[in-house]
């Protein structure tokens, strides 16, 4: 049976996943904290009122199935686990590329399928996949990361198309420049952090709490008619690229100020 107030989040030992687990527990969910880092999962779970730590690699089918058997059928699955192997593509080892695909994309599929099978048998459930703004726009030297995140966005649509009829509602959150998780080492440099903040229309980096709130909203009844969508939670940075390009003042004027220099106004 699906426990109506149960939520399982992968990659929950730290960063965004740990914050999703905390926010879910604060909202009254029984929480499954799943991570390949067993000690980290136990540490996160120990700080929550009603949580269980689950040690598993999302890329290993048998471990995923065993974790779901232990936790039971969740009302909500959050596919958050992910890794990155930085480096230019020309120098990227195939093993690194495959490792990222296995965890980010295959892991999302394996966990989603395992949960959806159980949810469908129990009458339904919700799945929220975590992609990235890099699934919309690439980042330099990110190896397979951007490709897998783009694939997760399409996989979300595929899951929603195939599973909605069984009562399993699937959506996706795409974080932007987040102060935490994988980006913590980058944002530790105060000068670099300030420079990154200036390119975000909202004027700040996102927080892990921003992402957790979006995830819990998509998992809630308030989003009941939202299906197969990807919610960008990026402070507007993905849409702002043209605002950083140089442009002549003449194109931003109105009336006579907008006409091409040396050309008379039209009559």
């Amino acid at each position: 049976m699906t426990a109506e107030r149960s939520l399982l989040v992968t990659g929950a030992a730290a960063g965004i996943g740990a914050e999703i687990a905390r926010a879910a527990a604060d909202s009254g969910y029984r929480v499954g904290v799943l991570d390949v880092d067993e000690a980290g999962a136990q540490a996160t779970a120990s700080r929550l009122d009603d949580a269980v730590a689950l040690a598993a690699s999302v890329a290993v089918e048998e471990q995923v199935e065993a974790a779901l058997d232990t936790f039971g059928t969740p009302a909500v699955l959050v596919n958050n686990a992910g890794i990155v192997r930085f480096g230019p593509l020309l120098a990227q080892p195939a093993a690194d590329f495959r490792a990222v695909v296995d965890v980010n994309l295959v892991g999302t599929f394996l966990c989603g399928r395992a949960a959806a099978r159980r949810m469908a048998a129990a009458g339904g459930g919700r799945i929220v996949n975590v992609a990235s703004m890099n699934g919309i726009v690439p980042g330099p030297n990110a190896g397979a990361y951007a490709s897998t995140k783009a694939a997760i966005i399409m996989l979300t649509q595929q899951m929603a198309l195939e599973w909605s009829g069984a009562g399993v509602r699937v959506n996706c959150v795409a974080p932007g420049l987040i102060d935490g998780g994988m980006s913590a080492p980058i944002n530790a440099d105060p000068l670099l952090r300030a420079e990154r903040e200036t390119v975000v229309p909202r004027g700040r980096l996102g927080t892990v709490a921003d992402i957790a709130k979006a995830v819990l909203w998509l998992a809630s009844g308030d989003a009941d008619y939202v299906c197969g969508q990807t919610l960008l939670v990026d402070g507007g940075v993905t849409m702002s690229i043209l605002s950083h390009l140089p442009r002549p003042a003449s194109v931003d004027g109105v009336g006579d100020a907008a006409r091409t220099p040396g050309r008379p106004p039209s009559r």
Side-chain angles (χ1 to χ4, degrees):
M1 292 293 291
T2 300
E4 181 56 31
R5 297 297 291 177
S6 64
L7 180 148
L8 175 61
V9 55
T10 69
I16 291 173
E19 177 61 19
I20 293 170
R22 186 204 63 76
D26 287 351
S27 297
Y29 284 99
R30 172 179 173 260
V31 178
V33 178
L34 186 150
D35 205 288
V36 70
D37 176 4
E38 183 175 5
Q42 290 175 344
T44 296
S46 70
R47 295 190 290 267
L48 308 179
D49 288 337
D50 188 8
V52 57
L54 302 162
S57 167
V58 298
V60 180
E61 184 174 3
E62 295 78 12
Q63 294 183 22
V64 169
E65 294 291 343
L68 266 293
D69 287 343
T70 298
F71 185 71
T73 303
V76 180
L77 168 69
V78 182
N79 275 314
N80 169 75
I83 63 172
V84 63
R85 295 288 185 268
F86 290 114
L89 287 176
L90 288 178
Q92 179 93 163
D96 282 359
F97 197 93
R98 289 193 181 100
V100 175
V101 172
D102 280 348
V103 173
N104 296 7
L105 181 57
V106 178
T108 297
F109 162 67
L110 290 176
C111 292
R113 186 186 64 178
R117 285 172 171 170
R118 292 164 171 81
M119 290 173 177
R126 287 90 69 196
I127 296 174
V128 182
N129 298 325
V130 179
S132 168
M133 64 177 282
N134 290 133
I136 308 296
V137 293
N141 300 325
Y145 184 78
S147 298
T148 60
K149 293 301 184 177
I152 286 170
I153 291 171
M154 180 53 68
L155 180 59
T156 296
Q157 296 179 35
Q158 189 73 30
M159 288 174 168
L161 177 66
E162 296 192 17
W163 299 345
S164 292
V168 180
R169 186 166 57 84
V170 188
N171 288 288
C172 183
V173 166
L177 301 178
I178 303 302
D179 187 17
M182 294 178 182
S183 297
I186 299 172
N187 298 324
D189 181 332
L191 294 179
L192 187 57
R193 176 194 177 96
E195 186 175 351
R196 286 161 70 86
E197 287 177 331
T198 63
V199 303
V200 182
R202 288 288 292 148
R204 66 172 177 85
L205 299 179
T207 67
V208 292
D210 289 325
I211 306 307
K213 290 173 185 176
V215 167
L216 291 184
W217 178 74
L218 284 173
S220 75
D222 289 340
D224 186 65
Y225 206 56
V226 181
C227 181
Q229 299 302 304
T230 294
L231 177 60
L232 269 168
V233 186
D234 70 346
V237 68
T238 306
M239 68 178 186
S240 70
I241 184 170
L242 291 181
S243 68
H244 303 297
L245 299 178
R247 50 194 285 129
S250 60
V251 303
D252 293 324
V254 295
D256 287 345
R259 61 183 165 83
T260 302
R263 179 180 177 183
S266 60
R267 301 188 184 280

